[in-house]
Amino acid sequence: MITSAILYLLYATIQVIISPILLFSDVVLPEGIANAIGTAGMYVAPINIFIPVDTLVTILLLYLQIEGFVGLYKLIMWGIKKIPTIS
Amino acid sequence: MQKLAKVFSIVLLIFCSFFYIASADLSYQIPATIGGSGNDVFCTTPPYASENFGSYNVGTTGPGSQDLVHNTTSGTGICNGSFEAPGNITGNGTFYLTLYLDGSWSDPYGFIEFVCINGGDNDGDCSVGELVPDVGVFPETPDGTVASPVEFSGTYTNDGNYNRLVIFLCEVDNCTPSTTYPFFLDIGFTEATEEPYSIIEPLALGVYQSFGILLNTTNFSQSDASEWVEFTIEEDRCETLDIGCYFQRVITFLFYPSDGSLNVFKNLYQQIQTKPPFGYIFAILDEFENFDASDDSLYEIPTAEFLQEFIFDDVRIAFVWLLWFVFAVGLLKRFKLIEL
């Protein structure tokens, strides 16, 4: 009950903070960008025979995800430190 | 005296609260449908089912119970596929059925038929009546698609001991399965005295099993995609004067987060994923997941075949290993220097 209440309180706080964002309509990626990424594979395909571009892309995405998690962790810790008596 | 009464009231309140919490059923509720007779006990597991769209999901319980029987030939010769309730159905009762469908059912509309089959000699008659909706055609929504989930209920009368309730699934026009039937079936039989859809029973002890079976596109035969999921329902009430258990329940009640309180964050994450500015990042990442460098080439680099086979292929493999090694080293350095 106590943990749930804290979680609901946290949820409500976050919800209030991001409520302006939620008013926006859903994101639809412009067709041009989607096509560009799709077509890029066809351009890169011949090079992929010599240089493993697909591996490079996978590694890049992994790196971005890790950096994203690190950033999120920092953000959460920054928020926690704002609570009084927690340094 | 007044002070003593106050103290007594507080102690009594705490005592009552303690025992109320201790005796409350705090266990994870698995919707269970219990009915039929003997071993005809079904336990549905919606989380499993929802993640396995395209199969039907039926649970049985207890030793000696029988699985839902699948027949590739029907008793009437009308339809090719049927599902048969396990065990014997005795007495009169109500059955219910929930079908979860996807758009594949939109045309032609599916047809479902409930038939009670006489089990053999010396058995009484059985029949199905009061089917709701009263026709077996799946109802369609105003936009022409089939509503899902579709809930059916009906009653059956039975004077015999070995009669079987059979559900046929087929197309409207020719009643011959010729298309894929993506659904999972959630079926249960209730006692005659119970109302359909109100059969969430207190959990019974025992090991429940659920399984999903993907249907073959032509003859409803069972594929190999079945997966068994076993879970045990543990005792959810404390023994009398089991103080340790009482404390455990109280601590669980106070500090164990509910599923709902955790799920709100999941919903929040899903909301953020679709809204700007974060939504664009997720959308681009999604697109990059479709990036395929081995796709059809727009142009070709002329290369001697033997060079490709004996040099470039090996060099490429070396490159892949090298890239992953560099990534691993980079990752290690990144975490060594990370400032949290």
Side-chain angles (χ1 to χ4, degrees):
Chain A
M1 187 178 70
I2 293 171
T3 312
S4 297
I6 292 169
L7 288 173
Y8 277 122
L9 192 68
L10 186 64
Y11 168 73
T13 311
I14 296 171
Q15 186 83 12
V16 168
I17 293 169
I18 67 163
S19 55
I21 292 175
L22 299 179
L23 293 176
F24 289 122
S25 54
D26 284 0
V27 163
V28 179
L29 207 60
E31 200 178 341
I33 294 178
N35 285 340
I37 295 170
T39 317
M42 297 161 87
Y43 280 105
V44 170
I47 304 167
N48 193 48
I49 298 168
F50 310 103
I51 300 165
V53 181
D54 47 357
T55 310
L56 269 171
V57 172
T58 308
I59 288 173
L60 181 69
L61 288 176
L62 270 174
Y63 175 78
L64 287 175
Q65 282 179 354
I66 290 165
E67 287 299 324
F69 278 118
V70 170
L72 186 69
Y73 179 81
K74 281 182 177 176
L75 190 70
I76 291 168
M77 290 308 289
W78 176 83
I80 289 172
K81 281 176 185 171
K82 293 291 168 194
I83 300 169
T85 72
I86 296 178
S87 57
Chain B
M1 189 64 186
Q2 201 177 1
K3 205 171 185 179
L4 191 66
K6 271 186 182 174
V7 172
F8 180 74
S9 302
I10 291 167
V11 169
L12 189 67
L13 188 67
I14 293 169
F15 187 77
C16 289
S17 305
F18 184 82
F19 273 87
Y20 171 76
I21 293 167
S23 62
D25 184 6
L26 304 173
S27 63
Y28 173 62
Q29 293 288 321
I30 300 168
T33 61
I34 300 173
S37 64
N39 293 320
D40 295 341
V41 180
F42 298 86
C43 181
T44 63
T45 53
Y48 172 76
S50 63
E51 291 169 6
N52 289 273
F53 201 87
S55 64
Y56 73 87
N57 185 24
V58 179
T60 59
T61 185
S65 63
Q66 298 171 58
D67 300 337
L68 193 74
V69 177
H70 168 262
N71 292 331
T72 51
T73 55
S74 73
T76 63
I78 298 170
C79 304
N80 290 335
S82 66
F83 297 96
E84 191 176 299
N88 306 320
I89 302 165
T90 57
N92 302 333
T94 302
F95 63 84
Y96 78 98
L97 172 73
T98 308
L99 285 176
Y100 298 83
L101 312 160
D102 70 9
S104 309
W105 273 99
S106 58
D107 189 19
Y109 298 126
F111 182 80
I112 189 162
E113 187 178 9
F114 300 88
V115 177
C116 200
I117 296 178
N118 193 293
D121 295 335
N122 303 320
D123 291 320
D125 293 325
C126 68
S127 61
V128 176
E130 293 182 27
L131 191 65
V132 180
D134 60 353
V135 291
V137 180
F138 298 138
E140 62 174 302
T141 56
D143 64 355
T145 57
V146 176
S148 179
V150 187
E151 291 180 324
F152 288 95
S153 69
T155 57
Y156 63 91
T157 57
N158 182 26
D159 297 319
N161 292 323
Y162 294 94
N163 297 329
R164 295 167 300 179
L165 186 67
V166 180
I167 303 159
F168 293 105
L169 297 157
C170 43
E171 286 178 16
V172 173
D173 50 357
N174 56 12
C175 219
T176 302
S178 59
T179 56
T180 306
Y181 289 80
F183 62 91
F184 55 83
L185 202 58
D186 179 4
I187 181 172
F189 293 88
T190 71
E191 298 289 354
T193 53
E194 290 177 319
E195 292 291 325
Y197 314 124
S198 59
I199 46 177
I200 305 301
E201 295 283 338
L203 295 177
L205 297 180
V207 176
Y208 288 76
Q209 290 177 319
S210 67
F211 59 96
I213 297 174
L214 295 176
L215 297 178
N216 186 289
T217 55
T218 53
N219 60 8
F220 287 95
S221 64
Q222 181 179 332
S223 73
D224 293 325
S226 303
E227 183 184 349
W228 285 89
V229 180
E230 292 192 12
F231 49 93
T232 305
I233 310 300
E234 294 179 354
E235 179 65 72
D236 53 10
R237 290 183 187 279
C238 294
E239 295 288 332
T240 310
L241 293 178
D242 185 352
I243 303 297
C245 181
Y246 290 168
F247 271 110
Q248 189 184 24
R249 301 299 296 275
V250 169
I251 289 166
T252 303
F253 176 71
L254 289 176
F255 297 106
Y256 194 80
S258 64
D259 287 348
S261 64
L262 294 171
N263 284 337
V264 290
F265 289 99
K266 189 180 170 188
N267 296 336
L268 193 68
Y269 180 67
Q270 285 171 346
Q271 280 180 311
I272 290 172
Q273 271 186 322
T274 59
K275 302 291 179 188
F278 307 106
Y280 286 109
I281 297 167
F282 286 106
I284 288 171
L285 286 176
D286 280 347
E287 282 299 327
F288 265 107
E289 281 182 7
N290 298 327
F291 178 85
D292 187 5
S294 59
D295 214 344
D296 291 336
S297 305
L298 283 179
Y299 61 96
E300 284 187 10
I301 299 174
T303 314
E305 197 171 323
F306 74 96
L307 282 176
Q308 182 68 48
E309 189 178 350
F310 294 107
I311 297 177
F312 292 125
D313 283 353
D314 293 336
V315 170
R316 192 180 183 284
I317 292 167
F319 255 130
V320 171
W321 279 97
L322 187 68
L323 281 169
W324 282 112
F325 179 74
V326 170
F327 174 69
V329 172
L331 198 66
L332 195 67
K333 278 188 175 177
R334 178 73 183 87
F335 277 98
K336 272 174 77 177
L337 300 171
I338 199 166
E339 291 176 10
L340 296 174

